[in-house]
Amino acid sequence: MEHITLLIAIVIATALVFDFTNGFHDTANAMATTISTGAMKPKAAVAMSAVLNLVGAFLSVEVAKTISGGIIDEGAGVRPEVIFAGLVGAIVWNMLTWLLGLPSSSSHALFGGLIGATLVSVGADGVNGDKVMMKILIPAVAAPIVAGVAAALATWLTYRLGRGLDDRTASKGYRAGQITSAALVSLAHGTNDAQKTMGVITLVLITGGTLGPGSGPPLWVIVSAGLAISLGTYLGGWRIIRTMGKGLTDIQPPQGFAAQTGAAAVILSSSHLGFALSTTQVCSGAVLGSGVGRKGAAVSWGTAGRMAVAWGLTLPAAGGVAAAAALLADQGNAGVTAVALLGAAACSSIWVASRRKPVHADNVNDVEPAATVSTVTTASLADTPVLAAGAPVGITVTGAANAAVLHPPTDPAPAPAATA
Amino acid sequence: MNIDWVALGTVFGVSVAVTVGLVGLFTVGIVALSRQEGAAATGNSVLAARTGAVACFGLCLAAVTYGIYLIVA
């Protein structure tokens, strides 16, 4: 029993760490355009998003009965070690994509990690292939298209209707609209993503026998999951915010408003019409669409392409790391300890690498407009020691290219302030 | 394998309609607000413009409220 208790404690801590990375990874979804158009100051924006994430965590009592929506057959012998390995894979991939400033889906990282760990520990029977197609692959392709078309049409319309508006009224109006729709996205994010971690922790408690089968999450689980995701959100994933707010296209307030409203509408309608789409892909698609919809706006398709590559890699990469972790974790206590240490080492080295070119609240908007920064230089290869984290070799190309986007030579000397 | 095209199509249609509708409504509201200020400056009646603005923003507010309801429910 002693062993089980300790293992479960480790898994819970890991789930909260994942929740935390989920928070800072997804701040950009709600707040990138709000920050880059200057509708809100960076710190105020992440603070509002954090509070709404926390509120969102408490709002809904409809906890997912299965952590993975049926993708993994949780009855087929999924043990705490498997969930632990899956979480480690998801965390490492989230850290890596954050370092590269790429908005990839945290949910897909979690699913990928769980799938990879299950394949190794339980076998192919534990994974439901049809569900993977229906719940991950098709939505991944559909989300940016739906959100992109909606945002592009809305952007075109708002510029057309708003011709000849005086600047003062327009900027006041668009500012209010942007803040409102960003708030909705934050709230929806809190209810969805904090619940995922609650589901993981609850499942672990049930498999460990601490909770009876079919129990809901205890209050301390709700509170700690809500706090972890809000803390992550408040830290602000500035690297990803910069990519989404400045890297894809040069966003003006009407575009920010159209993109953010489109994102809120797509997220809410899709989750309530039975075809849930990933928040990250919806928001990135909406930002791209708003670039397409404004005449004369430059869209950096290179950055968009790198994002698409990251989306494609999320499932296999998180799965690969998790599969390796599951192999180790299956070796008993020493294996679990080794996975924990290796995971911590990978995260620390990624964090240390991020300190070389920190992005924070004070410099998040200091970047050239999208069209001029997409030049790729080989010199930046040295900035991306990503292999240390066990990523597939293919990503280094993406990494080098993206580092060039995020850190153009004109970057002002960064101040050593708190970053994320 | 069974792709639920109907659900996907519905999501597409509803998302695009709601986004374009709301953004359009909100923009008309801003235009009306701007007209109201223009009318006030020239001494003309502000009633029509003000009613329009209130109606547009009211509908947007209703949509946001419904959105919050969807999140909570």
Side-chain angles (χ1 to χ4, degrees):
Chain A
M1 279 319 273
E2 195 100 296
H3 159 66
I4 291 176
T5 318
L6 180 64
L7 177 62
I8 286 175
I10 291 174
V11 180
I12 291 171
T14 315
L16 291 176
V17 171
F18 169 75
D19 204 21
F20 179 75
T21 66
N22 193 161
F24 71 70
H25 214 277
D26 292 1
T27 318
N29 292 337
M31 287 305 170
T33 60
T34 318
I35 290 171
S36 71
T37 58
M40 285 181 91
K41 293 257 179 284
K43 284 267 174 65
V46 294
M48 182 179 97
S49 188
V51 169
L52 288 169
N53 265 301
L54 188 61
V55 171
F58 285 93
L59 269 186
S60 172
V61 288
E62 187 202 335
V63 180
K65 285 279 181 287
T66 58
I67 45 173
S68 60
I71 290 162
I72 310 286
D73 181 2
E74 280 132 5
V78 174
R79 291 159 298 119
E81 288 93 336
V82 179
I83 298 172
F84 173 63
L87 285 167
V88 169
I91 292 170
V92 169
W93 182 249
N94 260 358
M95 289 293 290
L96 195 65
T97 43
W98 162 74
L99 176 67
L100 303 175
L102 289 172
S104 63
S105 165
S106 297
S107 314
H108 287 191
L110 180 62
F111 292 155
L114 290 172
I115 290 172
T118 306
L119 279 177
V120 165
S121 279
V122 182
D125 294 349
V127 178
N128 189 339
D130 264 18
K131 286 271 166 67
V132 173
M133 194 73 187
M134 275 303 291
K135 299 220 171 186
I136 301 180
L137 298 182
I138 293 170
V141 176
I145 298 174
V146 175
V149 169
L153 290 175
T155 303
W156 175 83
L157 182 70
T158 194
Y159 273 103
R160 170 127 197 118
L161 291 176
R163 273 175 312 184
L165 266 181
D166 68 290
D167 278 354
R168 209 174 49 83
T169 319
S171 71
K172 227 168 50 187
Y174 283 123
R175 189 162 171 260
Q178 274 187 285
I179 294 173
T180 309
S181 46
L184 265 185
V185 173
S186 291
L187 200 64
H189 183 254
T191 34
N192 282 328
D193 284 24
Q195 295 255 325
K196 257 172 233 150
T197 302
M198 289 176 211
V200 171
I201 297 178
T202 308
L203 183 77
V204 170
L205 290 172
I206 291 172
T207 52
T210 313
L211 286 176
S215 308
L219 184 65
W220 66 267
V221 173
I222 301 177
V223 173
S224 53
L227 283 175
I229 201 165
S230 325
L231 201 64
T233 305
Y234 181 67
L235 216 62
W238 301 112
R239 307 176 93 82
I240 301 175
I241 291 174
R242 179 184 276 186
T243 304
M244 267 176 87
K246 292 279 176 186
L248 283 173
T249 183
D250 184 26
I251 301 171
Q252 297 181 351
Q255 288 171 285
F257 169 62
Q260 217 48 62
T261 305
V266 173
I267 291 165
L268 289 178
S269 63
S270 71
S271 62
H272 288 270
L273 290 172
F275 212 98
L277 300 174
S278 161
T279 310
T280 303
Q281 284 152 359
V282 165
C283 292
S284 319
V287 170
L288 267 183
S290 76
V292 174
R294 174 165 73 91
K295 234 164 97 182
V299 176
S300 171
W301 292 107
T303 306
R306 280 187 287 279
M307 271 169 37
V309 170
W311 292 347
L313 283 176
T314 296
L315 210 63
V321 177
L327 274 179
L328 254 179
D330 274 343
Q331 309 305 314
N333 277 350
V336 171
T337 314
V339 170
L341 289 177
L342 283 174
C347 292
S348 314
S349 47
I350 290 170
W351 188 77
V352 168
S354 79
R355 306 299 300 165
R356 298 165 68 174
K357 297 271 172 111
V359 179
H360 44 77
D362 303 319
N363 73 359
V364 64
N365 283 336
D366 300 342
V367 67
E368 305 265 306
T372 54
V373 290
S374 51
T375 339
V376 176
T377 60
T378 44
S380 59
L381 253 172
D383 289 340
T384 49
V386 293
L387 284 175
V393 178
I395 190 68
T396 42
V397 179
T398 319
N402 199 264
V405 173
L406 296 178
H407 314 299
T410 50
D411 217 13
T419 64
Chain B
M1 195 193 47
N2 229 332
I3 299 177
D4 195 348
W5 290 108
V6 177
L8 186 55
T10 315
V11 166
F12 186 87
V14 171
S15 299
V16 171
V18 170
T19 306
V20 172
L22 274 182
V23 169
L25 207 57
F26 195 84
T27 312
V28 170
I30 296 176
V31 171
L33 211 58
S34 165
R35 289 238 174 92
Q36 180 197 329
E37 281 169 16
T42 53
N44 291 327
S45 164
V46 299
L47 190 67
R50 178 177 292 166
T51 313
V54 168
C56 287
F57 291 132
L59 283 170
C60 289
L61 195 67
V64 169
T65 312
Y66 183 63
I68 294 175
Y69 164 78
L70 281 182
I71 294 172
V72 176

